[in-house]
Amino acid sequence: MVNLVLSALNAVTDLTKANFIKKTRRTAEVQERFLLRLLQAHRDTEFGRKYQLGEIKTVDRFRDRVPILPYSSYEPFLERIANGKQNILTADPVVYLTLTSGSTGKKKMIPTTRRSQNITRQATLTSMGFLTAALRSRGQQFGKILLTNSTQQWGRTSAGIPYGPASAGVLSMDKWLYGQFFAQPYETLQVADSSARHYLALLFALQDPLMRGMLANFPMLILRTCNYLEKFGEDLIHDIETGTIANWLEVEPELRLALEQRLSANPVRANELREILQSEGKLTPHLAWSNLSFVACARGGTSDFYFQRFPTYFNNTPIFGAVFSSAEGMFSIYHELDDDSSILALESGFFEFIPQDQWQEEQPKTLLATEVRSGERYRILTTSYNGFYRYDIGDVIEVVGFYEQAPLIVFRHRQGGLISSTTEKTTEAHATQVMQAVQQEFSLLLEDFCMTLSENDFPARYLLNIELANGYKLEDPQAFLSECDRKLQAANTHYEISRKDPIPPPRLRILAPGSFAILRQRQIEKGIPDSQLKFPHISEDRNFLSGLQVQQEVRLPEDEA
């Protein structure tokens, strides 16, 4: 029965993908039609009446009539929506309020309606259609997926509207659909404790040697699941053998009971895993699931830094980006394995692009999807059924080509996600490019890194804070620092110019093991969901790394006098 359901869903995703491809051949028409239908649907909302959306009949008129507004302009509307007022930003009732992670600033509240959720589902199914086709071309197949995202909502507003992270809303509203793809029972994702949730998801997934994929929001979270598999290997095997759940896990009693009823002893599978553990000394996804076909997580931006560690756990298993999205909207759909580019999600929103020469303007001139140029970077605006219009989320993307008439885009970094000692504007993309290269050059793996600025120098010097991965040693830290400095100058011309004068030489700080785990825990304690952690690799916050143990500080020869 399960295989029949999965086969039927695969057929649906194939059809959804085929329909999407047809529409990429009519990009301008599809985008205009989406916008005009949305404006008509929302014309009688409070926002629609204010900006006379019902009178807008062309894209140009829309851009003239509706201004680009910051989130603060939407806050008064959102407060009233949270209190139960309807027909404010959307014509459809708001059924869920997504709270952004707040990892890059203040938490934001994003309305979700059934219609906006349906659009998200459609894009997800399209992505799965592309994934299935890509796997077939390699002689592989799509199948059950391990997911560890929490589905716990955080509460309800005074009007009874549930609120919480995006993944909790998406998964709970389409519980049956997404549940068909899980390698573990849905109840595992309802467990509040993060360690217990990961353990239970792994426990059930390990029962199935034919599991095909792993899914997480970000590659760092995939690596964390791998660490849990290594850490709890013996315990997991014992529970599989006996059909029990470790009594030391923090699991809500009702969920423990429900999951125990779903679990049965599997000594044959336990013996298979024990033999792997004894012969290899550890459990990894590639060893535990020999049929693993893909890993799905965010691509672009700083992801490549973490991907360097993937072969340790996944060998050459391909990586799929799935969708490029945020709480504010769905932006693009991935179409290939091991590829950072993705196709603009033509029916998920109406998109505009702000070219770089307009980034400082309060009301910049924008380009449409068919007007952008390959090789150029833009800030992306979205208008969608969640009630935001011409909304600038601050993401910088690069157009790298076209799929039929639709732009292929790659996420590069967030606007404002940079550091400057003077005016050089070093971005996360610069920092990640450098750290990827030096890791390879020095045959080194880092647990993580973060570039910050010194407190007591003027102009401030760059501080490169790194934590070595377990088992690695940096033999020549001064040469490492020198190469980082050289490569950063090559990556960022403005840094190269300012580095000659007035920026002083950078310093390397080697942090004690476990330092970045402490930083991530600090983020969680601030209320950021563990499934939405986006760890910054550059920070202008001079106190960001405060309290961490520096094992060694390294200077360049010119800085030692």
Side-chain angles (χ1 to χ4, degrees):
M1 177 62 180
V2 173
N3 289 335
L4 288 175
V5 171
L6 202 55
S7 296
L9 288 173
N10 283 339
V12 170
T13 63
D14 283 344
L15 180 61
T16 306
K17 180 206 71 172
N19 289 335
F20 175 78
I21 290 174
K22 290 178 183 177
K23 289 167 183 172
T24 63
R25 298 167 188 149
R26 300 181 289 108
T27 292
E29 176 190 339
V30 171
Q31 277 279 277
E32 181 180 37
R33 184 176 60 190
F34 177 93
L35 175 65
L36 296 181
R37 284 180 175 175
L38 183 151
L39 297 179
Q40 287 302 306
H42 288 177
R43 63 183 178 182
D44 293 325
T45 63
E46 184 172 319
F47 189 95
R49 292 193 299 272
K50 179 177 181 179
Y51 291 100
Q52 299 176 308
L53 299 185
E55 298 178 5
I56 297 174
K57 305 301 180 184
T58 67
V59 170
D60 287 342
R61 184 60 174 154
F62 170 68
R63 291 192 286 184
D64 290 339
R65 174 73 59 85
V66 180
I68 299 170
L69 299 173
Y71 177 77
S72 58
S73 297
Y74 287 93
E75 283 186 297
F77 295 110
L78 294 166
E79 289 173 4
R80 293 168 58 209
I81 290 171
N83 290 327
K85 299 295 183 182
Q86 298 290 345
N87 209 39
I88 304 296
L89 294 174
T90 66
D92 302 319
V94 173
V95 296
Y96 187 77
L97 287 167
T98 296
L99 298 188
T100 63
S101 66
S103 58
T104 56
K106 180 182 177 181
K107 286 187 178 181
K108 300 172 185 176
M109 186 163 51
I110 316 296
T112 298
T113 68
R114 287 293 178 187
R115 183 167 0 195
S116 68
Q117 171 62 11
N118 290 344
I119 288 171
T120 296
R121 182 196 311 119
Q122 189 80 356
T124 302
L125 292 174
T126 303
S127 168
M128 292 173 65
F130 278 113
L131 172 58
T132 302
L135 290 172
R136 278 199 297 258
S137 71
R138 297 189 180 201
Q140 299 172 323
Q141 63 182 12
F142 180 82
K144 293 286 187 174
I145 300 171
L146 170 62
L147 179 75
T148 60
N149 282 29
S150 172
T151 59
Q152 279 214 330
Q153 298 171 356
W154 293 344
R156 291 180 177 269
T157 70
S158 59
I161 302 173
Y163 63 85
S167 59
V170 168
L171 292 171
S172 61
M173 279 190 274
D174 274 333
K175 176 179 176 180
W176 181 87
L177 174 65
Y178 292 118
Q180 305 308 309
F181 300 107
F182 295 159
Q184 80 276 2
Y186 182 86
E187 289 84 357
T188 60
L189 306 181
Q190 296 176 305
V191 175
D193 181 75
S194 179
S195 295
R197 186 172 66 253
H198 282 80
Y199 184 101
L200 289 167
L202 284 166
L203 176 62
F204 281 91
L206 283 168
Q207 299 258 15
D208 182 4
L210 300 179
M211 191 189 80
R212 292 287 178 172
M214 290 179 64
L215 171 66
N217 295 11
F218 305 107
M220 180 180 73
L221 304 178
I222 292 284
L223 291 174
R224 184 181 60 178
T225 301
C226 296
N227 290 335
Y228 278 122
L229 181 57
E230 280 192 279
K231 179 179 179 180
F232 296 122
E234 290 279 7
D235 296 292
L236 288 163
I237 291 171
H238 173 269
D239 284 356
I240 291 169
E241 185 173 45
T242 59
T244 58
I245 294 175
N247 56 18
W248 48 266
L249 286 178
E250 294 183 27
V251 184
E252 293 83 345
E254 67 279 8
L255 290 175
R256 179 183 283 274
L257 179 61
L259 290 168
E260 284 175 340
Q261 292 173 347
R262 303 282 297 271
L263 193 63
S264 58
N266 192 342
V268 174
R269 178 60 173 157
N271 285 335
E272 291 176 359
L273 294 170
R274 185 172 287 113
E275 287 178 5
I276 293 171
L277 183 59
Q278 290 173 349
S279 63
E280 302 293 336
K282 61 181 179 179
L283 279 182
T284 67
H286 172 66
L287 295 171
W289 296 285
S290 59
N291 291 296
L292 202 68
S293 301
F294 66 93
V295 181
C297 61
R299 296 190 65 97
T302 61
S303 294
D304 285 352
F305 169 78
Y306 296 106
F307 289 156
Q308 289 182 290
R309 296 181 61 189
F310 271 41
T312 301
Y313 300 101
F314 297 104
N315 198 5
N316 60 352
T317 303
I319 304 168
F320 184 65
V323 293
F324 165 32
S325 66
S326 71
E328 293 90 343
M330 181 77 65
F331 301 100
S332 60
I333 297 169
Y334 284 80
H335 62 299
E336 292 287 354
L337 300 166
D338 292 326
D339 191 336
D340 284 348
S341 69
S342 51
I343 309 168
L344 192 69
L346 300 178
E347 292 194 303
S348 297
F350 175 76
F351 301 104
E352 300 171 68
F353 300 83
I354 305 175
Q356 286 184 272
D357 63 5
Q358 293 286 310
W359 284 2
Q360 303 306 316
E361 302 296 326
E362 184 176 343
Q363 292 298 319
K365 296 179 181 178
T366 62
L367 300 177
L368 303 180
T370 53
E371 297 172 337
V372 295
R373 297 173 58 184
S374 184
E376 298 292 329
R377 294 192 178 192
Y378 305 90
R379 289 209 320 266
I380 189 169
L381 304 182
T382 181
T383 298
S384 63
Y385 278 97
N386 64 18
F388 283 9
Y389 305 81
R390 310 193 74 204
Y391 189 71
D392 183 358
I393 66 167
D395 280 356
V396 175
I397 59 95
E398 180 179 350
V399 176
V400 296
F402 289 84
Y403 188 101
E404 299 291 352
Q405 297 175 4
L408 286 170
I409 66 176
V410 175
F411 169 73
R412 292 305 184 195
H413 62 87
R414 286 194 55 85
Q415 176 72 4
L418 49 82
I419 56 174
S420 289
S421 173
T422 55
T423 59
E424 71 279 5
K425 296 182 180 178
T426 295
T427 68
E428 282 208 304
H430 292 137
T432 303
Q433 177 184 335
V434 169
M435 297 312 296
Q436 280 181 258
V438 292
Q439 280 189 110
Q440 292 176 350
E441 187 171 325
F442 284 79
S443 300
L444 190 71
L445 277 180
L446 301 181
E447 180 65 29
D448 224 320
F449 78 95
C450 185
M451 285 186 183
T452 56
L453 298 173
S454 61
E455 290 187 60
N456 302 318
D457 302 291
F458 185 81
R461 71 175 75 246
Y462 278 54
L463 301 176
L464 176 54
N465 306 278
I466 67 171
E467 180 185 336
L468 299 173
N470 185 38
Y472 285 85
K473 182 179 180 181
L474 184 53
E475 298 293 346
D476 192 343
Q478 196 173 75
F480 180 88
L481 175 59
S482 177
E483 192 60 17
C484 286
D485 187 35
R486 189 186 71 79
K487 290 186 184 302
L488 187 56
Q489 291 183 50
N492 182 2
T493 303
H494 296 291
Y495 175 78
E496 179 186 22
I497 295 169
S498 297
R499 175 66 180 83
K500 296 171 183 176
D501 181 55
I503 297 179
R507 292 179 183 172
L508 173 67
R509 288 181 172 177
I510 302 175
L511 304 179
S515 293
F516 283 90
I518 294 172
L519 285 179
R520 293 183 191 109
Q521 185 59 36
R522 288 178 184 174
Q523 287 186 294
I524 291 172
E525 289 171 357
K526 290 179 182 178
I528 299 173
D530 63 351
S531 61
Q532 294 185 23
L533 286 177
K534 290 176 282 192
F535 190 81
H537 289 110
I538 55 174
S539 177
E540 285 197 305
D541 181 357
R542 310 299 169 92
N543 296 314
F544 185 59
L545 303 174
S546 63
L548 300 181
Q549 180 186 352
V550 178
Q551 288 187 326
Q552 184 181 4
E553 182 170 285
V554 181
R555 303 183 181 192
L556 293 175
E558 62 186 287
D559 188 32
E560 291 182 336

